Amino acid sequence: MQVPFLDLKRVNESFGIELEEAFKRVHQSGWFIQGKELELFESEFADYSEVSHCVGVGNGLEAIHLLLKAYGIGPGDEVIVPSNTFIATWLAVTECGAIPVPAEPDPKTHNISIHAIEAALTPKTVAIIPVHLYGQPADMDPILALADKYGLVVIEDAAQAQGAKYKGRRIGGLGHAGATSFYPGKNLGALGDGGAVLTNDSEIAAKVRKLRNYGSKVKYQHDVLGYNSRLDELQAAFLRVKLRRLDDDNQVRKNIANHYSYCLSNSDLILPDVPDWADPVWHLYVIRTKNRDNLQQYLRSHGVETLVHYPIPPHQQECYATMKFKPLPIAEQFAEQVLSLPISSVICDTDLNYVVSLLKDFRA
Ligand SMILES: *Cc1c(COP(=O)(O)O)cnc(C)c1O
């Protein structure tokens, strides 16, 4: 039996002819950049995310980068980021010339710890980027209180958590602004690259709109140095189709996660911990074990594909060697112990039960 980590072909096939109809609509319109589909998607995704503005951009990294730019963050500024995240969160900061200052996670939730944030504060701190990692909301209230006290900007990295809720409210619009990604494997994935900025701040939304489009609001007038980072009409049209089913797809992921947690509760594996205020959307189901490499090899030999998110934490990446970050023991331990089990909106019960039975049989 073969169980892939994520079968994107099946995910997209499950939308039947709807995606092909979206393609036809854009194809026949003859309009491919900044048109009706983008406008409609932006308004639909803003409503879904409970914010007043959504600005479609080229990808998730650019969504964070353009937000940092819109807030005027640059050289000399420090931005607190999780030590345990995909490197894009850090790259957006260094792309602006600012300094990423890592904060370690809470070992139970894997999300950024408020105590670590407090310890990382300096007079140069201007912003915090909490990541709703694996689809689980970060604990936003203490972060927002701290930000308020010190006058810091809070940008949520919501790339892994479309649809998740924190204390009953959608993530993405809880801080000053949020950034998300529609990379094909995300919970709301396009058929190519895509991303968006979410905010209730109309001034910031207008700035990002300009920045994504060569620094221009009126054609051929450029009042700021901008970029080309846009969500194209085809991707917007596909995303409109997929957004309509996002809550249902996330419910399927929740059922899978609950099944894993229920069946594996007596094992030696460290399972995801969900605080009672969190309504996660399970972009990833991440377990921890000291025998990670053996377990992965064992599953692979039985046809089950798992992944490691992430094998090398950002501060240990070659690209940051000159910045000489101090050791970050929790992130480093996670890199050695985490394993992501197959999860998606299209895994069938047979596959799921097969994975569970293998995990139950595993002896280190
Ligand atoms: C995927 C991801 C990004 C980057 O999104 P891209 O669209 O691939 O640029 C940023 N942050 C996190 C946490 C991600 O998982």
Side-chain angles (χ1 to χ4, degrees), residues 58-64 84-90 131-134 157-161 179-184 186 192-195 283-284 310:
N59 54 64
L61 169 59
E62 281 294 290
I64 310 172
N84 179 42
T85 181
F86 179 54
I87 197 168
T89 320
W90 288 49
V131 177
H132 305 300
L133 199 68
Y134 316 147
D157 181 338
Q160 301 191 355
T180 198
S181 159
F182 307 120
Y183 177 79
K186 307 291 190 194
D193 273 318
H283 174 60
L284 300 171
Y310 297 91

Side-chain angles (χ1 to χ4, degrees), residues 26-201:
V26 175
H27 180 50
Q28 286 170 0
S29 78
W31 194 275
F32 302 103
I33 304 279
Q34 306 225 98
K36 285 201 186 69
E37 298 289 341
L38 176 63
E39 222 172 89
L40 287 166
F41 173 70
E42 286 182 341
S43 114
E44 289 160 9
F45 194 57
D47 286 349
Y48 177 87
S49 305
E50 301 170 1
V51 295
S52 20
H53 308 280
C54 164
V55 185
V57 297
N59 54 64
L61 169 59
E62 281 294 290
I64 310 172
H65 173 226
L66 296 186
L67 272 174
L68 292 168
K69 282 276 172 189
Y71 283 106
I73 293 168
D77 294 331
E78 291 181 1
V79 178
I80 298 177
V81 293
S83 59
N84 179 42
T85 181
F86 179 54
I87 197 168
T89 320
W90 288 49
L91 287 175
V93 176
T94 37
E95 211 174 335
C96 298
I99 297 169
V101 177
E104 289 265 64
D106 170 340
K108 279 178 90 171
T109 63
H110 289 211
N111 266 325
I112 197 164
S113 138
I114 184 69
H115 308 295
I117 294 176
E118 278 173 327
L121 285 172
T122 80
K124 289 182 181 167
T125 310
V126 295
I128 308 170
I129 312 184
V131 177
H132 305 300
L133 199 68
Y134 316 147
Q136 170 143 297
D139 193 2
M140 292 299 291
D141 281 347
I143 297 175
L144 293 172
L146 192 78
D148 208 35
K149 185 169 164 195
Y150 293 100
L152 311 175
V153 173
V154 176
I155 296 173
E156 297 169 69
D157 181 338
Q160 301 191 355
Q162 291 120 353
K165 286 184 179 168
Y166 174 74
K167 300 184 180 173
R169 291 181 300 147
R170 295 274 191 209
I171 54 84
L174 303 171
H176 297 95
T180 198
S181 159
F182 307 120
Y183 177 79
K186 307 291 190 194
N187 288 34
L188 179 60
L191 276 65
D193 273 318
V197 159
L198 301 168
T199 184
N200 289 310
D201 183 334

